[in-house]
mmCIF file of all heavy atoms in Angstrom:
data_model
loop_
_atom_site.group_PDB
_atom_site.id
_atom_site.type_symbol
_atom_site.label_atom_id
_atom_site.label_comp_id
_atom_site.label_asym_id
_atom_site.label_seq_id
_atom_site.Cartn_x
_atom_site.Cartn_y
_atom_site.Cartn_z
ATOM 1 N N TYR J 20 89.424 129.019 88.317
ATOM 2 C CA TYR J 20 90.108 129.034 89.621
ATOM 3 C C TYR J 20 89.295 128.275 90.662
ATOM 4 O O TYR J 20 89.838 127.508 91.455
ATOM 5 C CB TYR J 20 90.322 130.478 90.080
ATOM 6 C CG TYR J 20 90.898 130.578 91.464
ATOM 7 C CD1 TYR J 20 92.254 130.333 91.687
ATOM 8 C CD2 TYR J 20 90.091 130.891 92.559
ATOM 9 C CE1 TYR J 20 92.787 130.406 92.963
ATOM 10 C CE2 TYR J 20 90.623 130.958 93.827
ATOM 11 C CZ TYR J 20 91.970 130.721 94.024
ATOM 12 O OH TYR J 20 92.489 130.791 95.281
ATOM 13 N N ARG J 25 88.745 124.135 94.550
ATOM 14 C CA ARG J 25 87.732 123.509 95.391
ATOM 15 C C ARG J 25 87.417 122.114 94.877
ATOM 16 O O ARG J 25 86.279 121.768 94.600
ATOM 17 C CB ARG J 25 86.482 124.380 95.438
ATOM 18 C CG ARG J 25 86.745 125.826 95.885
ATOM 19 C CD ARG J 25 85.483 126.630 95.986
ATOM 20 N NE ARG J 25 84.663 126.187 97.107
ATOM 21 C CZ ARG J 25 83.514 126.795 97.464
ATOM 22 N NH1 ARG J 25 83.091 127.832 96.791
ATOM 23 N NH2 ARG J 25 82.825 126.329 98.478
ATOM 24 N N ASN J 308 132.843 99.935 84.690
ATOM 25 C CA ASN J 308 133.622 99.232 83.654
ATOM 26 C C ASN J 308 135.011 99.840 83.507
ATOM 27 O O ASN J 308 136.017 99.135 83.374
ATOM 28 C CB ASN J 308 132.880 99.278 82.322
ATOM 29 C CG ASN J 308 131.651 98.376 82.321
ATOM 30 O OD1 ASN J 308 131.610 97.393 83.059
ATOM 31 N ND2 ASN J 308 130.669 98.704 81.505
ATOM 32 N N LYS J 332 154.119 111.038 90.028
ATOM 33 C CA LYS J 332 153.147 112.090 90.318
ATOM 34 C C LYS J 332 153.830 113.372 90.763
ATOM 35 O O LYS J 332 153.345 114.474 90.499
ATOM 36 C CB LYS J 332 152.175 111.627 91.402
ATOM 37 C CG LYS J 332 151.182 110.584 90.922
ATOM 38 C CD LYS J 332 150.226 110.198 92.055
ATOM 39 C CE LYS J 332 149.202 109.192 91.573
ATOM 40 N NZ LYS J 332 148.258 108.785 92.666
ATOM 41 N N TYR J 337 158.489 119.879 89.360
ATOM 42 C CA TYR J 337 159.766 120.302 88.792
ATOM 43 C C TYR J 337 159.534 121.090 87.506
ATOM 44 O O TYR J 337 158.562 120.857 86.784
ATOM 45 C CB TYR J 337 160.652 119.090 88.503
ATOM 46 C CG TYR J 337 161.054 118.348 89.767
ATOM 47 C CD1 TYR J 337 160.299 117.269 90.209
ATOM 48 C CD2 TYR J 337 162.170 118.747 90.494
ATOM 49 C CE1 TYR J 337 160.636 116.590 91.361
ATOM 50 C CE2 TYR J 337 162.513 118.055 91.655
ATOM 51 C CZ TYR J 337 161.753 116.993 92.082
ATOM 52 O OH TYR J 337 162.089 116.342 93.233
ATOM 53 N N ILE J 367 174.990 124.707 90.338
ATOM 54 C CA ILE J 367 173.698 125.055 89.738
ATOM 55 C C ILE J 367 172.837 125.738 90.790
ATOM 56 O O ILE J 367 172.607 125.189 91.879
ATOM 57 C CB ILE J 367 172.968 123.821 89.195
ATOM 58 C CG1 ILE J 367 173.836 123.058 88.192
ATOM 59 C CG2 ILE J 367 171.633 124.193 88.568
ATOM 60 C CD1 ILE J 367 174.178 123.862 86.967
#
Side-chain angles (χ1 to χ4, degrees):
Y20 174 77
R25 305 183 70 176
N308 288 334
K332 288 181 178 179
Y337 295 94
I367 304 297

